[in-house]
Amino acid sequence: MAPRARRRRPLPAPLALLALLGRLQVTLQITPPCTSERYYEHLGQCCKKCEPGTYMSSKCTTTSESVCLPCGLDEYLDTWNEEDKCLLHKVCDPGKALRAVEPGNRTAPRRCACTAGYHWSEDCRCCTRNAECARGFGARRPVQLNKDTVCEPCPSGYFSDTVSATETCRPWTNCTILGGTEVRHGTDKLDVVCSPLPSANPSNEPQVYLPSLIILLLFMSVALVAAVIFGVYYRKKGKALTANLWHWVNEACGRLNGNKAV
Ligand SMILES: *[C@@H]1O[C@H](CO)[C@@H](O)[C@H](O)[C@H]1NC(C)=O
Ligand SMILES: *[C@@H]1O[C@H](CO)[C@@H](O)[C@H](O)[C@H]1NC(C)=O
């Protein structure tokens, strides 16, 4: 400030020229770095700014350079700066359907975007659920992240029977390829219906035979268990019976013998 004020004061011509030359020299020495975005002017001198990822904890003095300190953990500065503190990373709140697409670091800000199925709305400055396409309409592909659904009417040969924000129009079934004939034409909302297809039978067979096989196996195992139980029961009972019989025979014989002896 002081030199500028001095220049405004009228001076004798030679002196003025000298002052101008002197100033020019000084300017030539100092200006080149000072015009750079990496320098700033302070106390009539050019000093280094702080590099991205750092902030200026103290400005330069006539005897010392600027003091730069690194940003904190959740902070950043993405420019050469004279800031006295770093900027705080924004929060990508999942509760507001936001997620971080770039985590950010000391030199770059975190970037948030809406989660899948949502897009950014400038009206509410929030993530809004993507529009759903009615039946007869499909979502244009590719489904773009952070963009609202673009619904297109299904062209001839295609249909959509669902209300969805992601489903595209699907082509009608080709009955000829499947070996059947068309019994109902397709529309933009409904698929073609084919007559009973021969290829449908083989796929049905296992579904019919599997349950009956399971029932048969179940029945057989029940019969086997029953047979075993009956076998054990009757053998026990049989043994008891034989023992009783043997006892009775013995007793009878003993009695007979006794009788003879008596
Ligand atoms: C910081 O993040 C930016 C953008 O994501 C990236 O280009 C840069 O390499 C990262 N820097 C470091 C030091 O990781
Ligand atoms: C079905 O497929 C055959 C063979 O690719 C083709 O010739 C025919 O035009 C198709 N039919 C329909 C209704 O798309």
Side-chain angles (χ1 to χ4, degrees):
M1 285 300 139
R4 220 168 266 166
R6 206 183 301 146
R7 203 171 65 166
R8 294 245 168 80
R9 216 177 290 158
L11 285 168
L15 259 179
L17 193 71
L18 216 86
L20 193 70
L21 274 173
R23 183 162 176 79
L24 211 71
Q25 206 182 348
V26 167
T27 318
L28 279 176
Q29 276 173 355
I30 290 168
T31 302
C34 229
T35 54
S36 158
E37 56 156 6
R38 298 188 177 184
Y39 291 85
Y40 67 105
E41 205 178 313
H42 188 58
L43 304 173
Q45 54 186 343
C46 275
C47 300
K48 228 176 166 189
K49 283 188 182 175
C50 290
E51 63 174 4
T54 66
Y55 71 98
M56 202 170 287
S57 94
S58 50
K59 292 199 185 280
C60 61
T61 66
T62 46
T63 54
S64 67
E65 200 32 287
S66 325
V67 177
C68 302
L69 290 177
C71 290
L73 250 185
D74 204 33
E75 299 175 337
Y76 75 98
L77 270 177
D78 51 358
T79 52
W80 284 82
N81 68 86
E82 316 166 45
E83 306 294 333
D84 59 0
K85 55 178 177 291
C86 298
L87 296 169
L88 210 62
H89 277 299
K90 56 177 142 190
V91 177
C92 304
D93 184 359
K96 291 175 180 162
L98 282 165
R99 70 199 169 88
V101 280
E102 278 173 31
N105 49 39
R106 285 198 171 105
T107 57
R110 178 175 300 148
R111 292 191 193 285
C112 305
C114 298
T115 52
Y118 290 81
H119 66 276
W120 184 255
S121 161
E122 273 303 328
D123 291 344
C124 64
R125 297 201 49 78
C126 69
C127 292
T128 311
R129 195 179 281 278
N130 289 348
E132 291 185 320
C133 302
R135 292 166 75 237
F137 290 82
R140 183 188 290 169
R141 284 286 154 93
V143 172
Q144 285 179 298
L145 274 180
N146 219 16
K147 292 269 168 66
D148 196 7
T149 321
V150 180
C151 298
E152 294 175 316
C154 297
S156 175
Y158 290 81
F159 75 102
S160 167
D161 56 0
T162 54
V163 177
S164 161
T166 52
E167 292 281 307
T168 54
C169 296
R170 287 177 287 149
W172 289 334
T173 303
N174 185 323
C175 297
T176 323
I177 287 178
L178 296 177
T181 51
E182 196 174 302
V183 294
R184 196 190 67 196
H185 288 307
T187 67
D188 60 346
K189 299 183 186 68
L190 287 172
D191 194 7
V192 161
V193 176
C194 303
S195 65
L197 303 168
S199 61
N201 288 341
S203 66
N204 274 355
E205 265 174 70
Q207 288 172 343
V208 172
Y209 279 102
L210 202 66
S212 42
L213 197 74
I214 288 171
I215 288 167
L216 191 74
L217 276 171
L218 214 71
F219 181 78
M220 276 166 67
S221 37
V222 166
L224 195 75
V225 167
V228 167
I229 289 171
F230 270 80
V232 167
Y233 178 74
Y234 273 111
R235 192 187 288 174
K236 261 190 184 162
K237 226 182 172 181
K239 257 184 192 161
L241 210 68
T242 339
N244 275 346
L245 209 68
W246 192 240
H247 182 70
W248 179 80
V249 169
N250 267 351
E251 228 175 354
C253 286
R255 218 175 282 151
L256 275 176
N257 285 345
N259 281 351
K260 263 185 194 166
V262 169

